[in-house]
Amino acid sequence: MTRIGRSFRQFLWLSLLCMPLAVVHAQGDGKASSSEPPSAQTAEQLADLLENEATRAQLIEALRRQANTESAATESEEATEAAPVSLSRRIALSTESIAEELAAEFSRAFGAFTQAGEATAGVDWQALAAASVDLIVVVIAVIVAFMLLRRLCIPVYRRLDVWSQQPAQTSALLRKTVAVLLAAGVDTVLIVLSWVIGFLLAIYALSDPGAMDTRQTMFLNAFLMIEIFKALIRTLFATRYEGLRLLPMSAENAAYWNRWFARISGFIGYGLLVAVPIANINISPDAGRALTFIVMGLAFLYALMVISQNKEQVRGRLEVQAKQAHSTFARVGVYVLARVWHALAIAYFAAMAVVAILQPEETLPFMLKATLQTLLAVGGGVFLAVVLAQIISRRIRLPEDTSRRFPQLEERLNAAIPGVLQVLRAIILIVVALLVLDAWRLFNLPEWIGSEAGTTALAAAISIALILLVAKGIWIAFASWIELRLNPDNDRGGASAREQTLLALFRSAFLIVLVVMTAMIVLSELGINIGPLIAGAGVLGLAIGFGAQKLVQDVITGVFIQLENAINTGEVVTAGAITGTAEKITVRSVGIRDLSGTYHVVPFSSVDTVSNFMRDFAYHVGVYGVAYREDISAVIEQLQAAYSALVADPNFAEKVLEPLEVHGVTELADSAVNVRIRIKTLPGSQWGVGREYNRLVKQHFDAAGIEIPFPHTTLYFGEDRAGYAPPANVRVLEGRDRRAPLPAEPADANTPLPDAANRPSERSDFDESQS
């Protein structure tokens, strides 16, 4: 134990000796140390300590243990500093700090109230009264000068008011905004002139030349800031001039709110910028702190009372304005403002009270800057959105020649306007929100823009906007090119049926490819790794291919059918045992409208054979049966005569391509001799030509007495058991006028009836008709 204690004491001595050396080494950079070198006795003790192996080993172990401990502590501190603080944590820390500072300020102010007598004991009231007289003179002079200057400028305000309300071709809002800005500029000039008058009076008339009392300086500075703020309020609530009032409201309401804002801004401004500093200088800082509590407390209570009284009234008026808004964006914005305006107003005055209590010297500069930036951001955003809506909402008009070549281009451009307007409004809303947050120091916009995250976000946003804009332009250009090719009024005379079908399919495929590529590029700009998405899409496509073989077969068969130009829209085809007009063709199926009007969707996988009735040319093939007794040469002559009548008709002459082909007798049927002919026609005209030719053949055969046989009916009346068939008494009459009249009814029952054999049969008319 003794040796261990001695070694421990030696270790302490060594540590004490090494500390100056460590300090000198830490200061470094070639600077000389002010510490003196160790004495000879200390050096001798250090040498003895190092010569002993046991103590040297203990010293080395202790130094290593100390080094490890310091390294761990340093790493822990660095990790703590590097660890990001969450937003909720920062809000909690800020709230806790503000609450602690408010409690401390409240304690100081309460102490100042309790010690008010001691604080005012040493005040020189006579000197304060003398200085107050000069201050009152400056106040009166500045206010009178400002009122006179405003009265002199009344004609200017009236002219601006009349000019802003004159009807013009330009936007009414733009004209009114210019007038309001000019009026605000005039107000600012008058305020500055009044401030100059007060400054000259204070420095040359009420003080020694070249000197000015501090109280007068504080008032003049307060006057400049407060009146500029009031001028800003007058742009919203101009009392006398409706044309210089930005907010749509009556003169009575504008006067009420203008008067209320002027009172509370004057009370807070002059109280914090004049009364509180005077109390700090002439009485004590605690008295100024107590006066700050009084001013802000009364102002907050007054504001809370006014807001509560007008909550429902303002809400109702804003909802009326929301219903009258033309755009959805403005309607939603005003409606949301109607719901939360009172909460925003209370938060505004609460923030002013907190800032005034914690940092009274920065209250009005901060609030003025924050309010001005907020109003400019919101007003500028609303103005820009309205102007953009009025400019973009105007319908695009293309030249007549361009509209003729691209019939749908004007409609397509006008259809893109609402989407562009929505994107621009979203951008304006985001910028306004960031400016408002920056105004109230909730978000540091310049620092964020200069940071790596801000630069990356802005670059990504600009890139995405350009990508979407370029993609939209590419689609409009491509669709317009397809439209030009399909337009029958173009220089080439329109597209063929095959081109129409292929171009329609190509347009759909290009749209899908463009949308997919644009989405992938946008996701890549957002920092999302699209490699797994592409791989997943490949795997998903393979799985769909295996699970939907029928669909794949439809697509592949449809592609080859289109490449072989087998079906085009508007053609009459037979596909999948359905015959009709092909109305719609996709990669997977064809839509066919049959003769009865039924629409059939035929998948290409079920199409084994395609029969197209409208390629190059067509034939009307007619087979006409005549009686065996007719002369075939005479029949052929009548068929030729019917053909001559057909081509003599101008409605059918252009549809017939070649002379009549007579194939001759093709069949000796049971009751007729069949003669076949063929007429070559334009594709799709074979049915109309055939119907007209059949009509003409019937007319020529009837005129020539050529019989077209039709089926006959044989009646068999049966036989009895002995095989005897009794004869049927059938009489064929040439006309109803030769038939004997029926006898009249007997006068009585004794009159005999005619014999059955001589009485006319009741079925004779039916038999005659059948004959």
Side-chain angles (χ1 to χ4, degrees):
M1 291 293 294
T2 305
R3 192 171 75 178
I4 294 175
R6 184 167 59 252
S7 299
F8 182 73
R9 285 195 298 273
Q10 291 174 352
F11 169 72
L12 291 178
W13 274 102
L14 180 61
S15 300
L16 293 173
L17 292 172
C18 291
M19 284 179 62
L21 297 177
V23 173
V24 173
H25 179 71
Q27 292 176 351
D29 298 335
K31 295 180 181 180
S33 175
S34 59
S35 302
E36 297 180 359
S39 61
Q41 182 180 2
T42 305
E44 183 67 22
Q45 292 177 354
L46 180 59
D48 293 340
L49 180 63
L50 295 177
E51 286 181 355
N52 192 339
E53 295 182 1
T55 57
R56 186 169 65 250
Q58 294 176 2
L59 177 59
I60 293 173
E61 182 180 359
L63 290 176
R64 287 178 177 174
R65 193 162 48 246
Q66 182 180 2
N68 292 334
T69 303
E70 292 179 355
S71 177
T74 303
E75 293 178 356
S76 177
E77 292 177 359
E78 293 178 354
T80 302
E81 294 178 357
V85 182
S86 62
L87 179 62
S88 59
R89 178 63 177 170
R90 282 183 292 178
I91 294 176
L93 293 176
S94 301
T95 305
E96 181 181 0
S97 176
I98 292 174
E100 292 176 353
E101 293 180 7
L102 286 176
E105 291 293 333
F106 182 79
S107 300
R108 296 191 190 97
F110 184 76
F113 280 118
T114 56
Q115 300 176 0
E118 298 178 2
T120 57
V123 177
D124 189 356
W125 293 105
Q126 293 182 352
L128 181 61
S132 299
V133 173
D134 295 340
L135 177 61
I136 292 173
V137 172
V138 173
V139 169
I140 294 174
V142 171
I143 293 176
V144 170
F146 181 62
M147 294 176 63
L148 291 177
L149 289 174
R150 279 188 58 84
R151 183 172 293 275
L152 292 176
C153 290
I154 288 178
V156 178
Y157 294 128
R158 288 178 178 174
R159 290 183 180 181
L160 291 175
D161 179 34
V162 173
W163 179 78
S164 67
Q165 299 184 59
Q166 289 180 353
Q169 297 180 353
T170 58
S171 172
L173 179 61
L174 179 62
R175 193 180 185 91
K176 191 171 188 177
T177 303
V178 173
V180 169
L181 291 178
L182 290 176
V186 173
D187 272 351
T188 304
V189 172
L190 298 182
I191 293 168
V192 173
L193 289 177
S194 302
W195 178 84
V196 171
I197 292 174
F199 180 82
L200 295 176
L201 178 64
I203 197 171
Y204 291 108
L206 301 178
S207 303
D208 295 334
M212 183 187 297
D213 186 67
T214 305
R215 303 173 185 83
Q216 300 170 5
T217 304
M218 288 187 295
F219 167 75
L220 292 175
N221 294 336
F223 171 81
L224 189 63
M225 288 189 292
I226 295 168
E227 293 303 325
I228 289 178
F229 179 77
K230 289 182 180 180
L232 184 63
I233 295 300
R234 280 194 293 271
T235 61
L236 301 177
F237 308 103
T239 303
R240 301 177 181 177
Y241 310 104
E242 184 178 355
L244 304 180
R245 188 186 311 138
L246 285 178
L247 295 181
M249 59 174 57
S250 62
E252 182 181 359
N253 292 327
Y256 172 80
W257 288 107
N258 186 32
R259 184 168 56 253
W260 183 79
F261 275 108
R263 288 175 182 174
I264 195 167
S265 60
F267 179 74
I268 295 175
Y270 290 114
L272 296 181
L273 295 180
V274 179
V276 171
I278 290 177
N280 290 332
I281 295 173
N282 294 276
I283 301 177
S284 68
D286 292 336
R289 188 174 293 109
L291 185 58
T292 301
F293 264 93
I294 294 174
V295 171
M296 294 310 303
L298 293 176
F300 183 74
L301 292 177
Y302 178 55
L304 191 62
M305 180 185 65
V306 174
I307 293 171
S308 300
Q309 291 176 351
N310 296 273
K311 175 183 175 180
E312 296 299 331
Q313 183 180 6
V314 174
R315 176 179 174 177
R317 291 175 181 173
L318 290 176
E319 288 179 351
V320 171
Q321 294 295 327
K323 294 179 181 179
Q324 296 176 355
H326 297 287
S327 63
T328 305
F329 178 80
R331 188 181 304 109
V332 173
V334 177
Y335 186 78
V336 172
L337 181 62
R339 294 285 180 175
V340 301
W341 80 270
H342 60 284
L344 296 177
I346 293 173
Y348 176 84
F349 286 102
M352 180 184 294
V354 171
V355 174
I357 292 172
L358 298 181
Q359 297 177 347
E361 66 280 358
E362 298 182 4
T363 301
L364 282 192
F366 169 75
M367 296 302 297
L368 181 63
K369 176 181 176 299
T371 304
L372 182 62
Q373 184 173 339
T374 301
L375 292 178
L376 289 178
V378 175
V382 172
F383 174 76
L384 190 59
V386 172
V387 171
L388 285 175
Q390 293 181 354
I391 294 175
I392 298 179
S393 61
R394 296 177 181 177
R395 189 172 180 84
I396 298 176
R397 298 293 182 183
L398 296 178
E400 184 177 354
D401 182 62
T402 304
S403 298
R404 182 181 58 82
R405 299 179 61 190
F406 304 95
Q408 297 181 358
L409 179 58
E410 181 176 324
E411 193 66 27
R412 191 176 292 112
L413 291 174
N414 290 315
I417 290 176
V420 175
L421 186 60
Q422 293 294 334
V423 172
L424 293 177
R425 284 173 174 171
I427 294 174
I428 292 173
L429 181 62
I430 293 173
V431 173
V432 169
L434 292 178
L435 290 174
V436 171
L437 293 176
D438 178 73
W440 297 98
R441 297 181 184 177
L442 299 176
F443 179 78
N444 194 336
L445 184 59
E447 180 181 351
W448 179 78
I449 293 177
S451 64
E452 182 179 358
T455 304
T456 304
L458 290 177
I462 295 174
S463 300
I464 291 173
L466 292 177
I467 290 169
L468 296 177
L469 185 63
V470 170
K472 188 66 176 179
I474 292 174
W475 169 244
I476 292 177
F478 180 80
S480 300
W481 176 75
I482 296 291
E483 180 184 349
L484 178 63
R485 293 296 301 271
L486 296 177
N487 189 2
D489 297 333
N490 60 14
D491 299 336
R492 299 183 179 181
S496 62
R498 182 171 183 267
E499 287 180 331
Q500 292 178 4
T501 303
L502 292 178
L503 288 175
L505 293 175
F506 186 39
R507 177 170 54 190
S508 301
F510 183 81
L511 177 60
I512 294 173
V513 172
L514 182 63
V515 170
V516 172
M517 292 183 61
T518 304
M520 289 295 181
I521 296 174
V522 169
L523 291 176
S524 177
E525 290 295 329
L526 291 175
I528 299 175
N529 186 9
I530 63 175
L533 293 177
I534 297 176
V539 174
L540 182 62
L542 185 61
I544 293 175
F546 280 112
Q549 297 182 14
K550 200 70 173 177
L551 177 62
V552 175
Q553 185 180 358
D554 290 340
V555 174
I556 294 176
T557 307
V559 169
F560 281 101
I561 286 177
Q562 294 307 316
L563 291 178
E564 294 172 359
N565 193 22
I567 303 175
N568 290 319
T569 55
E571 294 181 342
V572 179
V573 296
T574 299
I578 302 297
T579 301
T581 304
E583 292 189 353
K584 181 179 180 182
I585 301 176
T586 63
V587 179
R588 193 195 70 85
S589 63
V590 56
I592 298 177
R593 181 86 60 180
D594 64 11
L595 185 62
S596 63
T598 305
Y599 185 77
H600 305 269
V601 177
V602 181
F604 283 124
S605 61
S606 63
V607 178
D608 297 329
T609 303
V610 176
S611 301
N612 197 316
F613 296 90
M614 301 182 65
R615 287 301 169 86
D616 300 331
F617 58 89
Y619 285 104
H620 163 64
V621 179
V623 179
Y624 303 97
V626 297
Y628 273 88
R629 63 181 176 82
E630 303 295 342
D631 184 7
I632 299 302
S633 299
V635 170
I636 294 176
E637 290 179 1
Q638 296 301 322
L639 292 175
Q640 292 284 2
Y643 175 77
S644 299
L646 175 68
V647 296
D649 189 347
N651 294 327
F652 295 95
E654 296 180 354
K655 300 178 181 179
V656 178
L657 301 179
E658 293 181 0
L660 177 67
E661 299 178 14
V662 180
H663 295 169
V665 178
T666 59
E667 186 182 6
L668 298 175
D670 294 337
S671 60
V673 178
N674 294 331
V675 180
R676 186 174 67 193
I677 60 95
R678 190 170 71 170
I679 303 175
K680 190 175 183 178
T681 67
L682 293 174
S685 300
Q686 63 268 36
W687 299 287
V689 171
R691 288 189 295 269
E692 179 64 16
Y693 185 72
N694 289 336
R695 186 181 69 84
L696 294 174
V697 167
K698 178 67 168 57
Q699 289 180 355
H700 283 72
F701 279 9
D702 290 342
I706 297 174
E707 179 184 0
I708 301 176
F710 54 89
H712 294 269
T713 302
T714 300
L715 299 178
Y716 177 68
F717 293 94
E719 58 186 16
D720 57 10
R721 294 180 181 271
Y724 175 73
N729 185 14
V730 177
R731 289 183 298 174
V732 178
L733 302 179
E734 293 182 2
R736 296 184 61 90
D737 55 339
R738 297 182 58 184
R739 185 166 51 180
L742 293 175
E745 295 182 359
D748 52 30
N750 297 323
T751 303
L753 293 174
D755 297 336
N758 297 325
R759 187 173 55 194
S761 175
E762 296 180 358
R763 297 179 55 86
S764 60
D765 290 344
F766 174 78
D767 296 336
E768 179 185 0
S769 64
Q770 293 300 316
S771 300

